[in-house]
Amino acid sequence: MSSIRDKVRSIPGYPKPGIVFRDITTLLGDAQGFRKAVDELVQPHAGRRIDKVAGIEARGFILGGAVAHQLSVGFVPVRKKGKLPFTVIGADYELEYGVDRVEIHTDAIQKGDRVLLIDDLIATGGTAGAAIRLIEMAGGVVAGCSFVIDLPEIGGRAKLEAAGYPCHTLVAFEGH
Ligand code: AMP
């Protein structure tokens, strides 16, 4: 069986020159690859107390939903600004040009909930950092942060770990 790494499609120059887009649709579309990725995201947390899985829009929904199902816990969508219908709390994060914002519903996480954060990829860690702030603003405790792909040269994972948030990634790619 080929590895998770082999099932990620790399697209140089997307969405702009200098970036290699790591496309997980090829991994998700492969029955064995999808299962293996979800199993490996779940494995470190099996038998630990996790109360909720939070997934970051949009690819984090697909992976996080499957992880939540496997851990038999609820799922919290971390959405881009303006998408959630009920009252929200939000956190801003820096982009290369400007800022963006992620939001969760005010009642999505209960005080003391141990929350596992999931996304497809960590680069600068800006998006995950904002999601962590939301989880903590809601009274939750970040039990861990898991990503299929790490871009270690950009340093987001190291930054989160230095701040005390344990991270788990399945494969690493060089570059940006
Ligand atoms: P960051 O906030 O810099 O850690 O960026 C992480 C978010 O941006 C994730 O939700 C990724 O889906 C997306 N992302 C950043 N860089 C890439 C890349 N090279 N390929 C695919 N997705 C990326």
Side-chain angles (χ1 to χ4, degrees):
M1 186 170 115
S2 61
S3 67
I4 290 172
R5 188 187 173 83
D6 296 336
K7 289 175 179 171
V8 174
R9 175 164 56 196
S10 295
I11 305 174
Y14 184 89
K16 57 184 187 181
I19 303 287
V20 182
F21 194 86
R22 307 297 177 177
D23 172 23
I24 64 157
T25 63
T26 40
L27 173 69
L28 299 174
D30 181 284
Q32 287 181 337
F34 188 20
R35 174 165 284 278
K36 186 168 160 63
V38 172
D39 284 347
E40 289 192 17
L41 289 171
V42 167
Q43 193 273 328
H45 303 286
R48 298 177 65 218
R49 183 186 145 204
I50 301 289
D51 299 304
K52 291 274 168 62
V53 170
I56 300 173
E57 185 171 357
R59 292 177 289 271
F61 290 177
I62 302 162
L63 295 160
V67 169
H69 177 77
Q70 201 152 322
L71 290 172
S72 299
V73 300
F75 177 77
V76 177
V78 178
R79 297 215 63 180
K80 303 284 165 62
K81 182 178 160 58
K83 304 274 187 153
L84 288 168
F86 186 60
T87 52
V88 299
I89 49 177
D92 292 334
Y93 60 100
E94 304 268 330
L95 299 173
E96 201 176 349
Y97 305 103
V99 292
D100 215 338
R101 188 173 180 81
V102 283
E103 297 177 336
I104 59 172
H105 277 146
T106 47
D107 60 357
I109 293 168
Q110 310 309 309
K111 197 167 165 33
D113 274 353
R114 290 178 54 79
V115 182
L116 172 61
L117 180 66
I118 302 274
D119 202 2
D120 64 327
L121 179 147
I122 181 161
T124 66
T127 319
I132 287 170
R133 291 205 302 283
L134 283 181
I135 292 166
E136 293 183 341
M137 282 160 70
V141 175
V142 177
C145 308
S146 297
F147 309 87
V148 173
I149 300 166
D150 184 20
L151 304 182
E153 286 171 36
I154 304 182
R157 177 185 176 162
K159 201 167 72 182
L160 291 191
E161 290 195 320
Y165 300 103
C167 294
H168 172 233
T169 58
L170 307 188
V171 296
F173 285 95
E174 66 293 337
H176 289 230

